[in-house]
Amino acid sequence: MKIVIVGAGEVGKYIANTLTSEGHDVYMVEQNPDNVKNVQDELDVQVIQGNGSRPQVLAQAGINKNNNVDIMIACTNHDEVNMLSCWIAHNAGVQRIISRAKNLEFTDSPDWGKKLGIDLMISPERSIAREVLNLLAVSSATHTAELLNGRAVIYTFKIQKNSPLINVALKDIRTIYKNLTVVIVYVENEKGEGIVPNGFTVLKEGDTCYVVTLKNLVWQLEELFNPEAETQKLKKLFIVGGGKLGTQIAQGIRRDFGNVQLRLIEKDVLKCERLAEELGEALVLNGDGADKKLLSDEGIEEADGYVCATDSDEINLIYAGLAKKMGVKKSIAIIKQKRYQDLSEKLEIATVDPNEALASLILRVVHYPGHSRALSIIEEINAEMLEFIMPENNELTGKTLAELKLQKGVLLALMARENKIIVPTGATKLLAGDNVILFASSDLMRKAAELFGITKNEN
């Protein structure tokens, strides 16, 4: 396919790199000369320097009256540029159009996108806010993503020294903990060596496990990985940054955690006044999120969580690390740049990547239009989780998982059938309409999806 990407920031580069590795013909439109040079140095794509909202610039990428572009993706940081470039692409005859929207009001209703010819308008802030809330709720987790419309989740836990799971084979977990719906889809040891496990894989102290479980069981699961984890009800939380994401997180906290004591710290006085009206009983403080006296006066050492959600990765990392040193139980930084991800473990903080979430959503639509409900890209371990509905009249219908003989590196994590969630075994039969969560390493996902009748778009 020929794909045009407007915007060569972190999201655009991530998507372009994935699509070029699959053999697609990718053109990028970018106004910033520094970004243009970076793309030219790093990626095998055609780059047009210019404003993506100008017809003359898009025409250079093939979006014109003789249009030969299959997909256009607008992912700059400016909504107006994205929407205008989508409108131009629609009028030129581009078949599928995807746009990023930073302002939440544009995604509150699908009408905005439809009127401009946009097939999908995505704002990652809502999904990022949910991820932050899930991380706050589970103190030991370092990564999370929702599945099955929020009924199930994938969490990352490290096996601590007192865990009863040490030296236990995965096949025995179901016998020992019969009421625990859990599938461990990936295990990484302390040396950084990882595998997609089988039933005979034995867990060791220090292993990092990617675990799929039901949302209402996650605290029980956390106690197995870390018996010393404090799973008490959240009482006090801090947010730094009163922008769109910080506001979304604050609103989610008020909604999900009830009477928690919420402190939101913001430097801009006018924003503070607006947020004080919007957030009700939350305490909005005009100040600096790294002000030790302010944090100490407000009780950071007894707080359950601290989230730094400013527009600066550097500030978010430094501030979150400082809060952790001052005693907060869990500290989270919003980080967009990959080069900073490795610092999180050294600082003993969790990180959330909005760009990764946005790229996952866009690639799902590009790869599996009309089929999958969700595609979660877990870049840390080069793996993917694909959620889909088992198609009608598939040749696998009625077969057991044992009969499928899935290759190493591929497994079915969970299945939802009617109102029941199933941990599949070798004897589990596939039925049309089953909601399936498929886990595979990224290089195997395409063939694995095809096996279940989910064809990756190659047009």
Side-chain angles (χ1 to χ4, degrees), residues 2-6 27-29 48 52 54-74 84-97:
K2 181 174 179 179
I3 302 171
V4 173
I5 300 172
V6 178
Y27 284 65
M28 300 194 78
V29 178
I48 293 94
R54 295 184 61 195
Q56 301 94 322
V57 175
L58 292 178
Q60 295 177 53
I63 298 176
N64 49 41
K65 62 181 181 181
N66 300 316
N67 174 68
N68 62 349
V69 176
D70 299 290
I71 300 176
M72 205 275 282
I73 301 166
L84 187 51
S85 63
C86 288
W87 180 80
I88 294 168
H90 172 67
N91 283 278
V94 177
Q95 292 300 305
R96 273 193 292 149
I97 300 170

Side-chain angles (χ1 to χ4, degrees), residues 77-80 83 99-116 118 121-126 243-245 247-248 251 274 278:
N77 288 322
H78 304 285
D79 289 349
E80 294 78 6
M83 289 188 285
S99 178
R100 176 185 188 175
K102 293 192 73 176
N103 289 316
L104 297 173
E105 57 264 30
F106 290 128
T107 55
D108 286 337
S109 167
D111 292 342
W112 279 100
K114 288 179 180 178
K115 290 178 180 177
L116 293 170
I118 301 171
M121 186 174 282
I122 302 169
S123 176
E125 278 76 14
R126 287 190 174 91
K244 293 181 177 64
L245 182 54
T247 303
Q248 277 282 303
Q251 290 171 341
R274 175 179 57 80
E278 291 181 5

Side-chain angles (χ1 to χ4, degrees), residues 71-363:
I71 300 176
M72 205 275 282
I73 301 166
C75 56
T76 76
N77 288 322
H78 304 285
D79 289 349
E80 294 78 6
V81 172
N82 292 340
M83 289 188 285
L84 187 51
S85 63
C86 288
W87 180 80
I88 294 168
H90 172 67
N91 283 278
V94 177
Q95 292 300 305
R96 273 193 292 149
I97 300 170
I98 303 167
S99 178
R100 176 185 188 175
K102 293 192 73 176
N103 289 316
L104 297 173
E105 57 264 30
F106 290 128
T107 55
D108 286 337
S109 167
D111 292 342
W112 279 100
K114 288 179 180 178
K115 290 178 180 177
L116 293 170
I118 301 171
D119 297 300
L120 183 65
M121 186 174 282
I122 302 169
S123 176
E125 278 76 14
R126 287 190 174 91
S127 59
I128 289 301
R130 286 196 300 271
E131 184 172 346
V132 169
L133 294 176
N134 286 334
L135 284 172
L136 286 172
V138 185
S139 62
S140 299
T142 57
H143 175 92
T144 180
E146 291 189 346
L147 304 162
L148 301 178
N149 293 322
R151 296 165 67 193
V153 285
I154 178 169
Y155 277 103
T156 305
F157 290 111
K158 193 168 188 175
I159 297 179
Q160 304 298 327
K161 61 181 180 180
N162 297 323
S163 170
L165 298 176
I166 295 173
N167 295 325
V168 174
L170 295 191
K171 64 182 177 63
D172 296 328
I173 291 178
R174 294 178 186 176
T175 303
I176 300 171
Y177 305 102
K178 295 180 180 179
N179 296 322
L180 194 61
T181 302
V182 57
V183 178
I184 297 177
V185 296
Y186 194 85
V187 179
E188 185 175 80
N189 63 25
E190 290 184 303
K191 297 178 181 179
E193 302 165 338
I195 60 168
V196 177
N198 57 41
F200 297 96
T201 300
V202 176
L203 299 175
K204 301 293 182 182
E205 180 184 340
D207 284 350
T208 297
C209 300
Y210 288 74
V211 185
V212 178
T213 187
L214 300 186
K215 197 169 185 178
N216 61 347
L217 297 177
V218 70
W219 293 278
Q220 181 182 346
L221 185 66
E222 181 184 28
E223 290 176 358
L224 294 179
F225 281 90
N226 183 11
E228 297 179 2
E230 298 182 19
T231 56
Q232 63 186 23
K233 185 178 178 181
L234 297 177
K235 296 178 181 178
K236 181 181 287 187
L237 298 171
F238 284 74
I239 298 172
V240 178
K244 293 181 177 64
L245 182 54
T247 303
Q248 277 282 303
I249 295 169
Q251 290 171 341
I253 288 171
R254 303 301 300 166
R255 181 187 66 243
D256 294 356
F257 301 134
N259 295 323
V260 65
Q261 297 178 45
L262 178 60
R263 309 287 196 262
L264 191 149
I265 304 174
E266 167 58 49
K267 286 184 176 181
D268 187 289
V269 175
L270 294 179
K271 278 187 180 180
C272 287
E273 293 174 355
R274 175 179 57 80
L275 290 167
E277 294 180 3
E278 291 181 5
L279 298 178
E281 296 180 5
L283 180 60
V284 179
L285 302 167
N286 179 223
D288 191 313
D291 184 333
K292 289 185 178 181
K293 185 178 186 307
L294 174 63
L295 294 176
S296 182
D297 288 347
E298 294 299 329
I300 189 67
E301 70 281 354
E302 61 186 27
D304 301 293
Y306 175 102
V307 182
C308 201
T310 75
D311 290 331
S312 168
D313 284 1
E314 293 83 1
I315 287 176
N316 293 345
L317 271 174
I318 294 169
Y319 284 23
L322 173 65
K324 185 65 180 177
K325 291 294 183 184
M326 292 184 70
V328 69
K329 291 186 179 68
K330 183 148 198 170
S331 198
I332 302 172
I334 307 301
I335 302 297
K336 305 180 189 71
Q337 299 181 66
K338 299 298 178 189
R339 58 182 174 175
Y340 293 136
Q341 295 293 346
D342 293 340
L343 294 174
S344 61
E345 190 170 345
K346 295 178 183 177
L347 294 172
E348 298 182 327
I349 64 174
T351 60
V352 175
D353 184 351
N355 289 340
E356 185 176 317
L358 180 60
S360 294
L361 286 167
I362 291 172
L363 287 171

Side-chain angles (χ1 to χ4, degrees), residues 390-400 429-433:
M390 193 67 188
E392 297 281 348
N393 303 319
N394 186 278
E395 61 181 14
L396 300 183
T397 301
K399 289 187 177 182
T400 65
K429 289 185 177 181
L430 290 168
L431 301 179

